[in-house]
Amino acid sequence: MCGIVGYAGPQQALPLLMDGLKRLEYRGYDSAGVAIQHDGVLEIRRAEGKLANLAAVVAKSPAAGATGIGHTRWATHGRPNEQNAHPHVDCGGVTAVIHNGIIENFEALKKPLVDKGHRFMSETDTEVVVHLIEDELKSGKSLEDAALAVVPTLEGAAALAFVSAKDPGKIVAARISNAGGVIVGHGEGENYLASDIPALLEHTRTVSYVEPGEFAVITAGGVRFLDRAGTQLEKAKTTITWDTVSAAKSGYKHFMLKEIHEQPRVISDTLLGRVDRASGRVVFDADLKLTDDAVRALDRITLLGCGTAGYAALVGKYLIERLARIPCDVEIPSEYRYRDPVVTKGQLVISLTQSGETVDTLAAMEEGKKRGARLLTFVNVMGSQASRMADDVIYLHAGPEISVASTKAYSTMLVDLYLFAIFLGQRRGTLDPTAGGKLLAEVFHLPTLVDAVLREEPKIKALAYRHHQAKDFLYLGRGVNYPTALEGAHKLKELSYSHAEGTAAGEMKHGINALIDESLPVVAIVLQDSTYKKMLSNIQEVRARAGAVIAVANDDDEEIAQNASEVIRVPKTNELLSPALAVVPLHLFAYHVADRRGNDVDQPRNLAKAVTVE
Ligand code: G6P
């Protein structure tokens, strides 16, 4: 989720690159940098932190030249510091690369380069690419020929751009897989490159999209597009009609809607590199240091998270207990930190936090640590306080989440919990290898299934518009989708300002039934799983009391229509994975109810994205 820009033309590149980066700052903001090439020299300027820091660096030490690339980083491999900021250069400092995505096989590629004497300056997966290019350029190849030789050897997801003092006046861009955009902007006697439309709109509205497996060779005089074999492609030009504001949201009305639609891609990003192909075992990167012996010695897990992260934690309990047979408690951090908790030897405390800065979560982690627990955090923001405090880290790879209401971070928390529960089960021998392999295959199918749910949006929107005036809502679920009911109600409350309550459907008769009448929409998650029959009886109880039931049900469930007034369909998957699908229509429903009411969806009243005060 980094931002990429490039310029080749007659003007000074630096101000144009800085302006483009400014428009992409929402994509990543832990460091930034530029590489500008002129008269056989490559100038690099980089800075940790927000773009203002880079602006201060270039103000003191400007870089001249009319061809260059720039990058704003959202860290995936390596801490967010200047050393890991892009662009990365080869040993001679003549060629530079910027990258958006994850290169899965970088370690395998790095080893022979180190053996050959290449010097690596960063901890990133990216740097390996520029050293590979360096070797190719030694044989006198053009920059595009070097890229054509190197890029196909990379596994994973990547949008890449290169400049080299050895091949002046040229930017070569490449894209592998669907992750990360590469867009060429066509000007008059000058041409541009960007990962996103907003960086281009000031200069041109005529663009071409570089598709996976394609390359672009950009100079002031023109742009050539190549396929993997180096054959020239004819590319269509598209005219962009968006304004700059809607462009930052990729044309979506709100960041929340954009982030909901990003889920298939960010789930794919999260899954990248996390299964060892030979053994079929889940692997995490070096930030998870738990050894197999330590995993076997675990006797209890406490999961902590605030708000939406707390509901992900509850799903985690169901998963870990089922697959790894370790007793789990889920705790509210603001309670845990003050209630004298018991921590035993062999206990793991897991925090889930998108921002890594939520003060109650951090304080609860501190409390656990003080009492001797090992700390693992599932976090989205690399370099955040939670990632620095924890012994072990699993990154969400969801990219920056701008909307206050968390959606894609929640989905990636679930996906990382699936992987982690399987990881534990595989190492503790509690997961049958065949069943584990099948489950993992289904995890990898989630992006496609989430995409199918997103295609139901027009129906969900119509449903939301029918119910947008209701003052109260009830959400029901059982088993692993009990937390989904809580999260659905939570989202509706925070966005629409209506009252909504989520409950375990089995608890209705102990109080909630008293609320049911014809004015209360009841959203019930009724999937064909181990709780199906029980859920059907629960919604029949609602119907008997004149309540309107909106069921989230499986595609091929014919019985449901007789039991619910309205039905939202989701594809069938393994029961344990179903929360990742069932939550998507609930997020869309909350979004459309709130939007229909005219609320500020991205910044609901009285709420903040990262709650850094008690
Ligand atoms: C705030 C946000 C929620 C988020 C919660 C936890 O309340 O509004 O969207 O779920 O904090 O944030 P964290 O960054 O710790 O996941």
Side-chain angles (χ1 to χ4, degrees):
M1 285 300 292
C2 309
I4 283 178
V5 294
Y7 173 77
Q11 304 185 56
Q12 283 299 309
L14 183 62
L16 295 166
L17 296 176
M18 291 301 290
D19 180 66
L21 289 177
K22 199 163 172 9
R23 293 174 197 280
L24 295 184
E25 214 180 358
Y26 68 90
R27 300 230 357 152
Y29 35 71
D30 62 47
S31 56
V34 291
I36 296 174
Q37 169 268 303
H38 69 100
D39 301 329
V41 178
L42 194 67
E43 300 267 6
I44 307 289
R45 302 285 184 275
R46 304 188 302 189
E48 180 181 338
K50 293 209 168 200
L51 198 58
N53 298 352
L54 179 65
V57 168
V58 298
K60 261 201 213 140
S61 165
T67 311
I69 52 180
H71 187 268
T72 174
R73 179 167 185 247
W74 175 265
T76 55
H77 284 80
R79 311 271 129 204
N81 55 26
E82 193 201 326
Q83 204 181 16
N84 290 330
H86 299 215
H88 294 289
V89 290
D90 61 353
C91 300
V94 286
T95 304
V97 64
I98 52 176
H99 168 220
N100 175 15
I102 298 168
I103 294 165
E104 273 189 66
N105 59 336
F106 80 99
E107 275 168 6
L109 294 169
K110 187 170 172 177
K111 189 158 183 322
L113 288 167
V114 172
D115 292 346
K116 271 200 250 171
H118 282 267
R119 279 173 294 109
F120 281 77
M121 308 298 284
S122 77
E123 306 159 324
T124 63
D125 53 336
T126 304
E127 194 184 344
V128 73
V129 188
V130 76
H131 291 279
L132 291 168
I133 294 277
E134 180 180 15
D135 278 359
E136 294 295 329
L137 289 176
K138 273 184 196 146
S139 62
K141 281 184 181 169
S142 66
L143 188 56
E144 61 269 34
D145 284 345
L148 281 163
V150 168
V151 172
T153 66
L154 310 176
E155 287 169 16
L160 295 149
F162 308 96
V163 286
S164 178
K166 278 197 165 171
D167 196 350
K170 186 188 280 178
I171 301 167
V172 174
R175 189 167 174 217
I176 51 172
S177 95
N178 275 319
V182 180
I183 306 164
V184 171
H186 302 275
E188 294 286 328
E190 54 188 0
N191 291 297
Y192 299 84
L193 170 74
S195 51
D196 304 74
I197 302 284
L200 298 172
L201 285 184
E202 277 295 296
H203 312 290
T204 177
R205 289 183 167 270
T206 311
V207 306
S208 300
Y209 296 94
V210 178
E211 303 297 342
E214 294 179 355
F215 294 72
V217 184
I218 303 157
T219 60
V223 184
R224 284 185 300 127
F225 297 95
L226 308 173
D227 69 9
R228 248 178 255 270
T231 313
Q232 196 148 329
L233 299 167
E234 282 307 311
K235 273 263 158 198
K237 290 183 179 173
T238 309
T239 305
I240 301 295
T241 53
W242 301 338
D243 61 30
T244 25
V245 176
S246 65
K249 298 173 187 159
S250 304
Y252 290 104
K253 188 171 175 189
H254 295 100
F255 279 109
M256 180 181 174
L257 195 57
K258 172 178 179 257
E259 288 160 7
I260 288 174
H261 282 271
E262 277 172 1
Q263 288 177 108
R265 183 161 55 77
V266 297
I267 293 174
S268 301
D269 288 350
T270 304
L271 291 171
L272 270 174
R274 278 173 167 177
V275 174
D276 175 60
R277 287 182 196 167
S279 65
R281 277 154 67 103
V282 171
V283 286
F284 290 97
D285 57 32
D287 293 304
L288 187 89
K289 302 179 194 82
L290 264 180
T291 60
D292 288 5
D293 283 344
V295 167
R296 282 189 284 271
L298 290 177
D299 56 19
R300 205 174 131 214
I301 292 179
T302 298
L303 295 127
L304 301 162
C306 292
T308 291
Y311 301 126
L314 196 50
V315 177
K317 172 185 166 75
Y318 281 81
L319 301 173
I320 294 170
E321 291 198 343
R322 184 84 72 88
L323 300 176
R325 309 309 299 162
I326 306 171
C328 294
D329 320 299
V330 176
E331 299 267 1
I332 295 170
S334 56
E335 289 296 313
Y336 187 82
R337 63 183 289 196
Y338 290 122
R339 72 161 184 76
D340 196 12
V342 177
V343 173
T344 54
K345 200 168 167 288
Q347 182 170 353
L348 179 67
V349 167
I350 301 180
S351 67
L352 293 111
T353 168
Q354 186 284 129
S355 61
E357 304 292 349
T358 302
V359 75
D360 283 327
T361 306
L362 297 176
M365 289 170 71
E366 195 69 60
E367 194 60 38
K369 187 156 193 102
K370 216 166 67 194
R371 288 164 192 261
R374 187 181 179 114
L375 286 185
L376 161 64
T377 191
F378 285 56
V379 67
N380 196 29
V381 181
M382 196 174 259
S384 58
Q385 186 63 23
S387 73
R388 296 198 301 270
M389 275 172 71
D391 302 299
D392 301 283
V393 185
I394 293 178
Y395 288 103
L396 304 181
H397 297 314
E401 194 178 60
I402 310 287
S403 162
V404 166
S406 180
T407 54
K408 62 176 181 168
Y410 180 73
S411 311
T412 51
M413 278 177 191
L414 295 189
V415 170
D416 275 333
L417 284 165
Y418 295 141
L419 293 174
F420 186 63
I422 296 171
F423 168 91
L424 294 177
Q426 287 176 332
R427 276 146 188 87
R428 291 168 68 87
T430 50
L431 185 59
D432 167 68
T434 316
K438 196 161 168 274
L439 184 60
L440 210 45
E442 290 187 79
V443 174
F444 276 78
H445 196 44
L446 279 174
T448 310
L449 299 183
V450 171
D451 197 44
V453 182
L454 292 173
R455 275 187 257 119
E456 295 292 299
E457 186 177 1
K459 288 187 205 149
I460 299 163
K461 180 176 176 182
L463 187 74
Y465 279 30
R466 284 200 289 282
H467 292 280
H468 78 278
Q469 282 171 320
K471 293 207 164 37
D472 295 284
F473 289 83
L474 178 62
Y475 284 71
L476 301 178
R478 289 185 92 114
V480 74
N481 279 304
Y482 160 50
T484 312
L486 298 180
E487 166 59 12
H490 178 84
K491 252 332 156 269
L492 192 87
K493 260 186 294 220
E494 63 179 342
L495 298 178
S496 73
Y497 317 144
S498 267
H499 170 252
E501 183 159 345
T503 192
E507 274 291 287
M508 285 166 65
K509 59 179 89 56
H510 303 296
I512 301 278
N513 274 353
L515 295 176
I516 296 170
D517 65 19
E518 64 287 346
S519 70
L520 180 77
V522 178
V523 180
I525 303 146
V526 201
L527 303 177
Q528 289 162 315
D529 57 23
S530 61
T531 66
Y532 182 66
K533 289 247 151 56
K534 297 281 172 208
M535 277 303 301
L536 272 189
S537 331
N538 292 131
I539 61 175
Q540 276 154 4
E541 287 165 29
V542 174
R543 298 271 282 179
R545 289 163 181 82
V549 175
I550 301 166
V552 176
N554 284 130
D555 274 345
D556 54 357
D557 183 351
E558 285 164 14
E559 209 178 333
I560 195 71
Q562 291 120 49
N563 294 288
S565 341
E566 288 153 304
V567 183
I568 305 170
R569 301 286 178 175
V570 296
K572 210 163 174 181
T573 182
N574 184 294
E575 177 168 355
L576 291 179
L577 310 186
S578 62
L581 300 184
V583 78
V584 176
L586 303 188
H587 282 170
L588 283 169
F589 182 73
Y591 169 82
H592 283 295
V593 168
D595 185 43
R596 177 70 181 76
R597 288 186 175 190
N599 293 356
D600 184 348
V601 179
D602 282 334
Q603 288 176 321
R605 68 184 184 201
N606 310 334
L607 298 178
K609 182 71 187 153
V611 183
T612 52
V613 290
E614 255 194 80

